[in-house]
Amino acid sequence: MKIVKNYTYKLMLFVTTAFLVVTTSCQQFVDDVKPTDILDASVALQSLNDYETAVLGSYSSILGYYGGTIQSIGGFPADEVKIGSGNNGAGQFLYNHGYTATTGAFGTMWNVAYSAINRANTVLAGIDTYELQAADDETAAKRDQLKAEALALRALAHFDLVRNFGQPDQTSAGAGNPGVPVVTTVLGPADKPSRNTIGEVYAQVISDLTAAKGLIGSPTDITRFTPAGIDALLARVYLYSGDYNNAITSANAAIGAVALADQAGYTAAWENGGSGGSAGMIFRLGVPAGGVAIGNTWYLPANENSRLAPSNDLVSSFPANDVRSGLFFQNNATAGEVVVFKYAGTTTSPSLAQIPVLRTAEMYLIRAEAYFRTSQEANALADYNALRTARITGYTDETLSGAALLNGIIAERFRELCFEGHRWYDLRRNGLAVTRNDCNGTNCSLAVGDFRFTFPIPLAEIQANPNIAQNPNW
Protein backbone atom coordinates (compact mmCIF):
# COMPACT_ATOMS: atom_id res chain seq x y z
CA MET A 1 0.00 0.00 0.00
CA LYS A 2 1.40 3.38 -1.00
CA ILE A 3 1.44 5.88 1.84
CA VAL A 4 0.60 9.31 0.51
CA LYS A 5 1.96 12.60 1.69
CA ASN A 6 0.73 13.27 5.19
CA TYR A 7 -1.39 16.32 5.93
CA THR A 8 -1.34 17.08 9.63
CA TYR A 9 -3.61 20.01 10.22
CA LYS A 10 -4.19 22.66 12.82
CA LEU A 11 -7.58 24.04 13.57
CA MET A 12 -8.01 27.79 13.75
CA LEU A 13 -8.16 29.51 17.09
CA PHE A 14 -11.90 29.12 16.97
CA VAL A 15 -14.15 26.99 19.13
CA THR A 16 -14.07 23.46 17.75
CA THR A 17 -16.43 21.71 20.13
CA ALA A 18 -19.88 22.13 18.65
CA PHE A 19 -22.38 23.50 21.07
CA LEU A 20 -25.42 25.72 21.25
CA VAL A 21 -25.10 28.86 23.30
CA VAL A 22 -27.83 31.45 23.58
CA THR A 23 -26.91 34.34 25.81
CA THR A 24 -29.68 35.35 28.18
CA SER A 25 -30.23 38.06 30.76
CA CYS A 26 -29.35 35.83 33.68
CA GLN A 27 -27.84 32.61 32.35
CA GLN A 28 -26.57 30.67 29.39
CA PHE A 29 -27.98 27.36 28.39
CA VAL A 30 -25.79 24.90 26.57
CA ASP A 31 -26.76 21.77 24.67
CA ASP A 32 -23.86 19.54 23.67
CA VAL A 33 -23.95 18.28 20.13
CA LYS A 34 -21.56 15.42 21.00
CA PRO A 35 -20.19 14.98 17.46
CA THR A 36 -18.86 11.47 16.89
CA ASP A 37 -17.28 11.82 13.45
CA ILE A 38 -14.54 14.37 14.07
CA LEU A 39 -11.01 13.59 12.94
CA ASP A 40 -8.43 14.26 15.64
CA ALA A 41 -6.11 17.08 14.62
CA SER A 42 -3.03 14.89 14.98
CA VAL A 43 -4.21 12.23 12.54
CA ALA A 44 -2.76 12.30 9.02
CA LEU A 45 -5.10 11.81 6.06
CA GLN A 46 -3.84 8.55 4.60
CA SER A 47 -6.97 7.05 3.02
CA LEU A 48 -10.30 8.08 1.57
CA ASN A 49 -11.84 6.90 4.82
CA ASP A 50 -9.71 9.50 6.60
CA TYR A 51 -10.89 12.15 4.16
CA GLU A 52 -14.48 11.11 4.68
CA THR A 53 -14.03 11.36 8.43
CA ALA A 54 -12.71 14.89 7.96
CA VAL A 55 -15.72 15.76 5.79
CA LEU A 56 -18.04 14.40 8.46
CA GLY A 57 -16.23 16.60 10.97
CA SER A 58 -17.23 19.61 8.88
CA TYR A 59 -20.85 18.44 8.87
CA SER A 60 -20.60 18.14 12.65
CA SER A 61 -19.52 21.77 12.85
CA ILE A 62 -22.47 22.77 10.65
CA LEU A 63 -24.72 20.91 13.08
CA GLY A 64 -22.99 22.88 15.83
CA TYR A 65 -24.74 26.06 14.68
CA TYR A 66 -27.79 24.57 12.95
CA GLY A 67 -28.64 22.84 16.22
CA GLY A 68 -30.40 25.94 17.52
CA THR A 69 -28.06 28.90 17.08
CA ILE A 70 -29.00 30.00 13.58
CA GLN A 71 -32.69 29.37 14.31
CA SER A 72 -32.37 31.60 17.39
CA ILE A 73 -30.49 34.50 15.82
CA GLY A 74 -32.58 34.11 12.68
CA GLY A 75 -35.88 34.16 14.56
CA PHE A 76 -35.80 35.68 18.05
CA PRO A 77 -35.06 39.28 16.95
CA ALA A 78 -37.92 39.16 14.43
CA ASP A 79 -41.67 38.73 15.01
CA GLU A 80 -42.22 34.97 15.05
CA VAL A 81 -41.85 34.50 18.83
CA LYS A 82 -42.55 36.16 22.14
CA ILE A 83 -41.17 35.53 25.62
CA GLY A 84 -42.62 32.27 26.90
CA SER A 85 -44.52 31.79 30.15
CA GLY A 86 -41.67 29.73 31.61
CA ASN A 87 -38.83 31.89 30.35
CA ASN A 88 -35.97 32.39 32.80
CA GLY A 89 -34.04 34.81 30.63
CA ALA A 90 -33.28 32.55 27.68
CA GLY A 91 -33.02 34.43 24.41
CA GLN A 92 -34.21 37.76 25.81
CA PHE A 93 -31.14 39.73 24.67
CA LEU A 94 -31.94 38.64 21.12
CA TYR A 95 -35.67 39.20 21.45
CA ASN A 96 -35.29 42.68 22.93
CA HIS A 97 -32.52 43.70 20.51
CA GLY A 98 -30.26 44.18 23.50
CA TYR A 99 -27.44 42.06 22.09
CA THR A 100 -23.83 43.19 22.07
CA ALA A 101 -20.50 42.03 20.69
CA THR A 102 -20.23 39.67 23.69
CA THR A 103 -23.56 37.92 23.10
CA GLY A 104 -22.76 34.21 23.12
CA ALA A 105 -24.88 33.22 20.15
CA PHE A 106 -22.79 35.42 17.84
CA GLY A 107 -19.58 33.87 19.12
CA THR A 108 -20.99 30.41 18.51
CA MET A 109 -22.08 31.33 14.99
CA TRP A 110 -18.69 32.81 14.10
CA ASN A 111 -16.52 30.19 15.78
CA VAL A 112 -18.31 27.04 14.72
CA ALA A 113 -18.87 28.22 11.12
CA TYR A 114 -15.16 28.90 10.74
CA SER A 115 -14.45 25.51 12.31
CA ALA A 116 -16.57 23.97 9.52
CA ILE A 117 -14.63 26.00 6.95
CA ASN A 118 -11.27 24.98 8.35
CA ARG A 119 -12.22 21.33 8.37
CA ALA A 120 -13.41 21.58 4.78
CA ASN A 121 -10.16 23.30 3.84
CA THR A 122 -8.20 20.46 5.43
CA VAL A 123 -9.86 18.09 2.97
CA LEU A 124 -9.38 20.41 0.01
CA ALA A 125 -5.70 20.96 0.81
CA GLY A 126 -4.78 17.39 0.01
CA ILE A 127 -7.51 15.59 -1.87
CA ASP A 128 -6.47 16.68 -5.38
CA THR A 129 -3.04 15.06 -5.00
CA TYR A 130 -4.23 12.04 -3.04
CA GLU A 131 -3.37 8.81 -4.86
CA LEU A 132 -6.14 6.23 -4.84
CA GLN A 133 -5.39 2.89 -3.24
CA ALA A 134 -6.68 0.15 -5.51
CA ALA A 135 -6.26 -2.47 -2.80
CA ASP A 136 -8.86 -0.64 -0.72
CA ASP A 137 -11.34 -0.30 -3.63
CA GLU A 138 -11.03 3.48 -3.60
CA THR A 139 -12.53 5.24 -6.62
CA ALA A 140 -12.13 8.58 -8.33
CA ALA A 141 -15.89 9.08 -8.09
CA LYS A 142 -15.76 8.81 -4.28
CA ARG A 143 -12.82 11.19 -4.14
CA ASP A 144 -14.72 13.69 -6.29
CA GLN A 145 -17.81 13.37 -4.10
CA LEU A 146 -15.83 14.12 -0.95
CA LYS A 147 -14.22 17.14 -2.59
CA ALA A 148 -17.66 18.35 -3.70
CA GLU A 149 -19.05 18.00 -0.19
CA ALA A 150 -16.11 19.93 1.27
CA LEU A 151 -16.65 22.73 -1.24
CA ALA A 152 -20.39 22.85 -0.53
CA LEU A 153 -19.85 22.88 3.24
CA ARG A 154 -17.33 25.70 2.91
CA ALA A 155 -19.82 27.61 0.79
CA LEU A 156 -22.68 27.09 3.25
CA ALA A 157 -20.63 28.30 6.21
CA HIS A 158 -19.34 31.40 4.37
CA PHE A 159 -22.87 32.24 3.23
CA ASP A 160 -24.31 31.88 6.74
CA LEU A 161 -21.54 34.10 8.11
CA VAL A 162 -22.01 36.89 5.59
CA ARG A 163 -25.79 37.02 6.01
CA ASN A 164 -25.31 37.47 9.74
CA PHE A 165 -22.33 39.81 9.91
CA GLY A 166 -22.61 41.69 6.61
CA GLN A 167 -24.90 44.64 5.90
CA PRO A 168 -28.57 43.82 5.07
CA ASP A 169 -28.32 44.66 1.35
CA GLN A 170 -26.36 41.79 -0.14
CA THR A 171 -27.31 42.46 -3.76
CA SER A 172 -24.95 44.18 -6.20
CA ALA A 173 -25.89 47.53 -4.63
CA GLY A 174 -24.33 46.48 -1.32
CA ALA A 175 -21.60 44.23 -2.69
CA GLY A 176 -18.84 46.66 -1.80
CA ASN A 177 -19.65 46.73 1.90
CA PRO A 178 -17.59 44.70 4.38
CA GLY A 179 -18.52 41.03 4.58
CA VAL A 180 -16.51 38.39 6.43
CA PRO A 181 -13.07 36.89 5.85
CA VAL A 182 -13.01 34.44 2.93
CA VAL A 183 -10.84 31.55 4.10
CA THR A 184 -9.76 28.99 1.50
CA THR A 185 -6.63 27.59 3.16
CA VAL A 186 -6.00 25.89 6.48
CA LEU A 187 -5.25 28.62 9.01
CA GLY A 188 -2.96 28.43 11.97
CA PRO A 189 -2.69 30.49 15.16
CA ALA A 190 -0.60 33.21 13.51
CA ASP A 191 -3.05 33.84 10.65
CA LYS A 192 -5.23 36.92 11.01
CA PRO A 193 -7.39 37.38 7.93
CA SER A 194 -9.19 40.63 7.18
CA ARG A 195 -12.77 41.07 6.00
CA ASN A 196 -13.58 40.61 2.33
CA THR A 197 -16.39 42.54 0.71
CA ILE A 198 -19.87 41.07 0.54
CA GLY A 199 -19.45 40.69 -3.22
CA GLU A 200 -16.19 38.78 -2.78
CA VAL A 201 -17.80 36.41 -0.29
CA TYR A 202 -20.67 35.68 -2.66
CA ALA A 203 -18.27 35.16 -5.55
CA GLN A 204 -16.38 32.54 -3.53
CA VAL A 205 -19.60 30.85 -2.38
CA ILE A 206 -20.93 30.60 -5.94
CA SER A 207 -17.55 29.42 -7.25
CA ASP A 208 -17.40 26.67 -4.63
CA LEU A 209 -20.96 25.52 -5.30
CA THR A 210 -20.50 25.58 -9.06
CA ALA A 211 -17.36 23.45 -8.73
CA ALA A 212 -19.13 21.11 -6.30
CA LYS A 213 -22.00 20.64 -8.71
CA GLY A 214 -19.62 19.29 -11.34
CA LEU A 215 -18.05 16.80 -8.94
CA ILE A 216 -20.79 15.54 -6.65
CA GLY A 217 -21.96 12.58 -8.72
CA SER A 218 -25.32 11.11 -7.69
CA PRO A 219 -25.41 10.43 -3.93
CA THR A 220 -28.87 10.21 -2.39
CA ASP A 221 -28.26 10.51 1.36
CA ILE A 222 -30.11 13.71 2.27
CA THR A 223 -28.22 14.08 5.54
CA ARG A 224 -25.31 15.10 3.31
CA PHE A 225 -25.05 17.25 0.22
CA THR A 226 -26.57 15.78 -2.93
CA PRO A 227 -26.92 17.34 -6.41
CA ALA A 228 -30.33 18.70 -5.38
CA GLY A 229 -28.85 20.10 -2.18
CA ILE A 230 -26.22 22.03 -4.11
CA ASP A 231 -28.84 23.40 -6.51
CA ALA A 232 -31.06 24.38 -3.60
CA LEU A 233 -28.28 26.22 -1.80
CA LEU A 234 -27.38 27.99 -5.04
CA ALA A 235 -31.01 29.09 -5.40
CA ARG A 236 -30.95 30.60 -1.90
CA VAL A 237 -27.60 32.30 -2.48
CA TYR A 238 -28.72 33.75 -5.81
CA LEU A 239 -31.93 35.07 -4.22
CA TYR A 240 -30.03 36.87 -1.48
CA SER A 241 -27.54 38.32 -3.97
CA GLY A 242 -30.30 39.57 -6.27
CA ASP A 243 -29.42 37.28 -9.20
CA TYR A 244 -33.03 36.30 -9.78
CA ASN A 245 -32.67 34.56 -13.14
CA ASN A 246 -30.10 32.16 -11.73
CA ALA A 247 -32.24 31.72 -8.63
CA ILE A 248 -35.06 30.52 -10.89
CA THR A 249 -32.74 28.16 -12.78
CA SER A 250 -31.32 26.60 -9.61
CA ALA A 251 -34.73 26.34 -7.95
CA ASN A 252 -36.06 24.60 -11.06
CA ALA A 253 -33.30 22.01 -10.81
CA ALA A 254 -33.93 21.36 -7.11
CA ILE A 255 -37.71 21.12 -7.60
CA GLY A 256 -37.20 18.75 -10.50
CA ALA A 257 -35.20 16.44 -8.24
CA VAL A 258 -37.33 16.58 -5.06
CA ALA A 259 -41.08 17.06 -5.41
CA LEU A 260 -43.21 19.23 -3.15
CA ALA A 261 -44.67 17.12 -0.34
CA ASP A 262 -48.41 16.51 -0.18
CA GLN A 263 -50.16 16.72 3.19
CA ALA A 264 -49.57 13.08 4.12
CA GLY A 265 -45.91 13.19 3.18
CA TYR A 266 -45.45 16.54 4.85
CA THR A 267 -46.96 15.29 8.09
CA ALA A 268 -44.74 12.21 8.11
CA ALA A 269 -41.64 14.32 7.50
CA TRP A 270 -42.28 16.43 10.62
CA GLU A 271 -43.89 14.01 13.07
CA ASN A 272 -41.77 11.79 15.34
CA GLY A 273 -38.66 13.84 14.76
CA GLY A 274 -38.84 13.28 11.03
CA SER A 275 -38.33 9.52 11.36
CA GLY A 276 -41.49 8.75 9.42
CA GLY A 277 -40.44 10.18 6.09
CA SER A 278 -38.48 12.76 4.15
CA ALA A 279 -40.97 14.09 1.60
CA GLY A 280 -39.96 17.55 0.44
CA MET A 281 -36.67 17.43 2.34
CA ILE A 282 -33.63 18.22 0.20
CA PHE A 283 -30.94 18.48 2.88
CA ARG A 284 -31.49 17.86 6.56
CA LEU A 285 -28.98 17.17 9.29
CA GLY A 286 -29.32 13.83 11.00
CA VAL A 287 -29.13 13.99 14.78
CA PRO A 288 -28.06 10.82 16.62
CA ALA A 289 -29.59 9.58 19.84
CA GLY A 290 -28.26 11.73 22.63
CA GLY A 291 -27.54 14.57 20.22
CA VAL A 292 -28.75 18.14 20.33
CA ALA A 293 -32.48 18.38 21.04
CA ILE A 294 -33.31 21.38 18.88
CA GLY A 295 -36.88 21.64 20.13
CA ASN A 296 -35.55 22.71 23.54
CA THR A 297 -34.62 26.02 21.96
CA TRP A 298 -38.29 27.04 22.35
CA TYR A 299 -39.99 24.52 24.61
CA LEU A 300 -38.84 22.07 27.29
CA PRO A 301 -41.31 19.17 27.23
CA ALA A 302 -39.87 17.50 30.34
CA ASN A 303 -41.43 20.14 32.56
CA GLU A 304 -43.69 21.74 29.93
CA ASN A 305 -41.66 24.92 30.15
CA SER A 306 -42.19 27.42 27.34
CA ARG A 307 -39.02 29.47 26.78
CA LEU A 308 -39.97 31.28 23.58
CA ALA A 309 -43.58 30.90 22.45
CA PRO A 310 -44.94 31.50 18.95
CA SER A 311 -46.30 35.00 18.57
CA ASN A 312 -49.96 35.46 17.81
CA ASP A 313 -48.75 37.42 14.77
CA LEU A 314 -47.55 34.08 13.44
CA VAL A 315 -50.17 31.70 14.85
CA SER A 316 -53.12 33.78 13.65
CA SER A 317 -51.70 34.04 10.14
CA PHE A 318 -52.46 30.38 9.38
CA PRO A 319 -55.85 29.86 7.74
CA ALA A 320 -58.36 27.21 8.76
CA ASN A 321 -57.63 23.66 7.57
CA ASP A 322 -53.89 24.35 7.27
CA VAL A 323 -51.97 21.16 8.03
CA ARG A 324 -49.07 23.19 9.37
CA SER A 325 -50.94 24.53 12.40
CA GLY A 326 -51.24 21.11 14.00
CA LEU A 327 -47.62 20.27 13.26
CA PHE A 328 -45.99 23.52 14.35
CA PHE A 329 -48.02 24.48 17.43
CA GLN A 330 -49.60 22.86 20.47
CA ASN A 331 -52.00 24.47 22.93
CA ASN A 332 -50.38 23.50 26.23
CA ALA A 333 -52.50 23.78 29.37
CA THR A 334 -49.55 23.57 31.77
CA ALA A 335 -47.63 26.30 30.00
CA GLY A 336 -50.86 28.24 29.68
CA GLU A 337 -50.20 29.15 26.07
CA VAL A 338 -49.52 27.85 22.59
CA VAL A 339 -46.03 26.36 22.37
CA VAL A 340 -43.65 25.63 19.52
CA PHE A 341 -44.13 22.00 18.49
CA LYS A 342 -42.35 21.89 15.14
CA TYR A 343 -39.47 19.85 16.57
CA ALA A 344 -41.47 17.73 19.00
CA GLY A 345 -39.34 14.62 18.60
CA THR A 346 -40.66 11.31 19.91
CA THR A 347 -42.05 10.13 23.23
CA THR A 348 -38.68 8.54 24.07
CA SER A 349 -36.57 11.41 22.71
CA PRO A 350 -38.65 14.57 23.05
CA SER A 351 -37.38 17.65 21.19
CA LEU A 352 -34.80 15.59 19.29
CA ALA A 353 -35.52 15.88 15.59
CA GLN A 354 -33.81 15.87 12.23
CA ILE A 355 -32.94 19.45 11.31
CA PRO A 356 -34.00 20.76 7.89
CA VAL A 357 -31.54 22.99 6.07
CA LEU A 358 -33.05 23.05 2.56
CA ARG A 359 -36.58 22.05 1.52
CA THR A 360 -38.58 21.98 -1.70
CA ALA A 361 -41.17 24.34 -0.23
CA GLU A 362 -38.47 26.98 0.13
CA MET A 363 -37.55 26.44 -3.52
CA TYR A 364 -41.15 27.24 -4.54
CA LEU A 365 -41.00 30.42 -2.48
CA ILE A 366 -37.58 31.38 -3.85
CA ARG A 367 -38.80 30.82 -7.38
CA ALA A 368 -42.02 32.73 -6.72
CA GLU A 369 -40.12 35.74 -5.40
CA ALA A 370 -37.57 35.59 -8.21
CA TYR A 371 -40.36 35.36 -10.80
CA PHE A 372 -42.00 38.40 -9.24
CA ARG A 373 -38.78 40.40 -9.28
CA THR A 374 -38.27 39.58 -12.97
CA SER A 375 -41.80 40.73 -13.92
CA GLN A 376 -43.20 37.20 -14.31
CA GLU A 377 -46.15 37.64 -11.98
CA ALA A 378 -48.27 34.84 -13.45
CA ASN A 379 -45.52 32.32 -12.70
CA ALA A 380 -44.98 33.81 -9.25
CA LEU A 381 -48.68 33.49 -8.45
CA ALA A 382 -48.75 29.91 -9.73
CA ASP A 383 -45.96 28.90 -7.31
CA TYR A 384 -47.60 30.75 -4.42
CA ASN A 385 -50.91 28.97 -5.02
CA ALA A 386 -49.25 25.59 -5.59
CA LEU A 387 -47.63 25.67 -2.17
CA ARG A 388 -50.80 26.77 -0.42
CA THR A 389 -52.81 24.09 -2.23
CA ALA A 390 -50.41 21.49 -0.81
CA ARG A 391 -50.86 22.80 2.74
CA ILE A 392 -54.50 23.91 3.06
CA THR A 393 -57.43 21.52 2.64
CA GLY A 394 -60.04 22.93 0.26
CA TYR A 395 -57.81 25.83 -0.79
CA THR A 396 -59.08 28.09 -3.56
CA ASP A 397 -56.47 29.86 -5.66
CA GLU A 398 -55.99 33.51 -4.84
CA THR A 399 -55.64 36.23 -7.44
CA LEU A 400 -52.91 38.64 -6.39
CA SER A 401 -50.73 41.10 -8.26
CA GLY A 402 -48.22 43.84 -7.65
CA ALA A 403 -47.28 44.62 -4.05
CA ALA A 404 -50.04 42.36 -2.73
CA LEU A 405 -48.43 39.38 -4.46
CA LEU A 406 -44.95 40.13 -3.13
CA ASN A 407 -46.35 40.63 0.36
CA GLY A 408 -48.21 37.34 0.02
CA ILE A 409 -45.00 35.50 -0.89
CA ILE A 410 -43.11 37.03 2.04
CA ALA A 411 -46.00 36.16 4.37
CA GLU A 412 -45.99 32.59 3.10
CA ARG A 413 -42.29 32.35 3.89
CA PHE A 414 -43.19 33.56 7.41
CA ARG A 415 -45.58 30.63 7.79
CA GLU A 416 -43.83 27.82 5.95
CA LEU A 417 -40.30 28.47 7.20
CA CYS A 418 -41.03 29.55 10.77
CA PHE A 419 -38.52 28.40 13.41
CA GLU A 420 -36.04 27.34 10.71
CA GLY A 421 -33.98 30.53 10.88
CA HIS A 422 -35.36 32.59 7.99
CA ARG A 423 -37.62 35.40 9.22
CA TRP A 424 -34.94 37.81 10.45
CA TYR A 425 -33.01 37.53 7.19
CA ASP A 426 -36.20 37.99 5.15
CA LEU A 427 -36.95 41.22 6.97
CA ARG A 428 -33.36 42.42 6.54
CA ARG A 429 -32.98 41.73 2.84
CA ASN A 430 -36.43 43.11 1.97
CA GLY A 431 -35.90 46.32 3.91
CA LEU A 432 -38.78 45.63 6.30
CA ALA A 433 -39.07 46.77 9.90
CA VAL A 434 -39.66 44.46 12.85
CA THR A 435 -43.23 45.22 13.92
CA ARG A 436 -44.68 43.10 16.71
CA ASN A 437 -48.34 43.30 17.53
CA ASP A 438 -48.01 40.48 20.05
CA CYS A 439 -45.04 41.61 22.11
CA ASN A 440 -44.17 41.10 25.77
CA GLY A 441 -40.60 42.36 25.81
CA THR A 442 -38.93 45.69 26.42
CA ASN A 443 -38.50 46.46 22.72
CA CYS A 444 -41.32 45.69 20.30
CA SER A 445 -40.07 47.16 17.03
CA LEU A 446 -36.94 47.84 15.01
CA ALA A 447 -36.99 50.49 12.34
CA VAL A 448 -35.52 49.99 8.88
CA GLY A 449 -31.96 51.24 8.90
CA ASP A 450 -31.37 50.58 12.59
CA PHE A 451 -27.75 49.50 13.07
CA ARG A 452 -28.93 46.46 15.06
CA PHE A 453 -30.10 44.83 11.83
CA THR A 454 -26.43 43.95 11.36
CA PHE A 455 -24.97 41.85 14.14
CA PRO A 456 -21.63 42.80 15.69
CA ILE A 457 -18.48 40.83 15.00
CA PRO A 458 -17.80 38.91 18.26
CA LEU A 459 -15.62 40.95 20.59
CA ALA A 460 -13.22 38.05 21.15
CA GLU A 461 -12.46 38.05 17.42
CA ILE A 462 -11.96 41.82 17.34
CA GLN A 463 -9.55 41.60 20.26
CA ALA A 464 -7.60 38.67 18.82
CA ASN A 465 -7.38 39.89 15.23
CA PRO A 466 -6.35 43.51 14.59
CA ASN A 467 -7.21 43.10 10.90
CA ILE A 468 -10.93 42.71 11.62
CA ALA A 469 -12.91 45.95 11.65
CA GLN A 470 -16.10 46.05 13.72
CA ASN A 471 -19.49 46.81 12.17
CA PRO A 472 -20.71 50.41 12.58
CA ASN A 473 -22.04 51.55 15.97
CA TRP A 474 -20.87 48.44 17.82
Side-chain angles (χ1 to χ4, degrees):
M1 178 180 72
K2 184 181 175 97
I3 301 298
V4 300
K5 180 179 179 181
N6 292 342
Y7 285 91
T8 303
Y9 66 99
K10 302 175 183 178
L11 293 179
M12 303 164 76
L13 290 181
F14 296 130
V15 176
T16 57
T17 301
F19 56 86
L20 165 65
V21 178
V22 178
T23 296
T24 70
S25 60
C26 62
Q27 71 173 59
Q28 291 182 331
F29 60 94
V30 180
D31 293 315
D32 290 328
V33 173
K34 301 184 180 73
T36 58
D37 294 311
I38 298 177
L39 183 66
D40 185 85
S42 64
V43 176
L45 303 179
Q46 297 181 354
S47 70
L48 277 191
N49 283 337
D50 288 343
Y51 277 99
E52 183 157 31
T53 300
V55 168
L56 292 174
S58 187
Y59 279 108
S60 183
S61 290
I62 296 294
L63 177 60
Y65 70 86
Y66 268 91
T69 297
I70 202 163
Q71 294 84 354
S72 299
I73 61 180
F76 293 2
D79 53 356
E80 69 179 23
V81 298
K82 61 183 177 182
I83 297 171
S85 60
N87 187 285
N88 59 358
Q92 290 194 29
F93 281 173
L94 290 171
Y95 181 77
N96 289 316
H97 308 119
Y99 37 80
T100 68
T102 61
T103 295
F106 303 148
T108 299
M109 181 69 237
W110 184 276
N111 296 334
V112 183
Y114 274 113
S115 171
I117 290 168
N118 216 52
R119 286 168 169 166
N121 284 338
T122 300
V123 172
L124 296 169
I127 201 163
D128 281 339
T129 57
Y130 173 76
E131 296 181 20
L132 297 172
Q133 300 172 32
D136 294 332
D137 296 322
E138 295 181 346
T139 66
K142 182 63 174 180
R143 180 175 59 192
D144 286 348
Q145 178 192 331
L146 294 174
K147 180 179 179 180
E149 289 182 86
L151 286 165
L153 288 161
R154 185 170 76 180
L156 174 61
H158 274 117
F159 170 68
D160 286 336
L161 284 161
V162 76
R163 66 178 174 145
N164 277 291
F165 300 106
Q167 295 293 316
D169 185 356
Q170 307 208 332
T171 67
S172 58
N177 289 324
V180 295
V182 171
V183 179
T184 58
T185 59
V186 179
L187 297 187
D191 294 305
K192 300 183 187 299
S194 58
R195 296 176 72 172
N196 291 83
T197 66
I198 288 173
E200 288 168 341
V201 178
Y202 274 88
Q204 184 64 53
V205 168
I206 292 168
S207 174
D208 281 351
L209 290 173
T210 301
K213 187 173 178 178
L215 293 167
I216 190 66
S218 54
T220 58
D221 180 359
I222 65 168
T223 66
R224 297 168 65 168
F225 270 105
T226 63
I230 293 171
D231 282 321
L233 182 53
L234 272 169
R236 184 187 290 175
V237 169
Y238 283 132
L239 180 74
Y240 274 65
S241 67
D243 187 346
Y244 302 119
N245 287 320
N246 274 321
I248 292 167
T249 299
S250 295
N252 281 338
I255 290 168
V258 182
L260 185 66
D262 60 17
Q263 287 197 14
Y266 192 75
T267 299
W270 286 108
E271 285 185 337
N272 297 313
S275 60
S278 60
M281 297 287 178
I282 296 175
F283 174 34
R284 70 179 180 188
L285 295 168
V287 182
V292 60
I294 186 174
N296 288 344
T297 305
W298 301 269
Y299 172 66
L300 294 171
N303 57 4
E304 298 183 282
N305 186 311
S306 178
R307 286 173 159 176
L308 281 300
S311 70
N312 192 54
D313 297 331
L314 174 62
V315 175
S316 64
S317 74
F318 287 84
N321 302 320
D322 192 319
V323 67
R324 295 171 293 193
S325 292
L327 294 170
F328 297 172
F329 313 117
Q330 183 188 72
N331 198 338
N332 187 279
T334 302
E337 63 186 353
V338 175
V339 300
V340 175
F341 211 60
K342 194 169 190 176
Y343 303 97
T346 65
T347 54
T348 55
S349 297
S351 292
L352 192 149
Q354 309 308 300
I355 301 171
V357 179
L358 295 157
R359 300 196 285 117
T360 307
E362 184 193 352
M363 298 302 106
Y364 270 78
L365 292 163
I366 286 173
R367 192 171 68 178
E369 184 178 338
Y371 275 142
F372 177 85
R373 296 190 186 281
T374 54
S375 301
Q376 301 178 69
E377 289 197 13
N379 288 336
L381 182 61
D383 278 345
Y384 170 83
N385 281 323
L387 178 59
R388 288 172 66 77
T389 297
R391 301 289 180 262
I392 303 166
T393 301
Y395 177 74
T396 301
D397 283 356
E398 295 181 24
T399 302
L400 302 172
S401 62
L405 175 56
L406 178 60
N407 291 337
I409 294 166
I410 294 171
E412 199 58 35
R413 289 181 64 90
F414 185 35
R415 287 183 284 269
E416 178 69 26
L417 304 175
C418 62
F419 315 123
E420 295 179 46
H422 290 274
R423 181 60 172 174
W424 173 249
Y425 309 114
D426 284 348
L427 295 176
R428 273 172 40 98
R429 66 183 181 82
N430 285 295
L432 299 173
V434 174
T435 304
R436 298 167 175 158
N437 297 305
D438 182 18
C439 177
N440 57 357
T442 58
N443 191 63
C444 295
S445 64
L446 200 66
V448 175
D450 192 295
F451 75 95
R452 288 170 290 182
F453 267 111
T454 301
F455 295 142
I457 305 294
L459 181 61
E461 181 64 24
I462 296 293
Q463 292 175 333
N465 183 354
N467 297 323
I468 295 286
Q470 183 57 279
N471 284 322
N473 299 309
W474 291 108

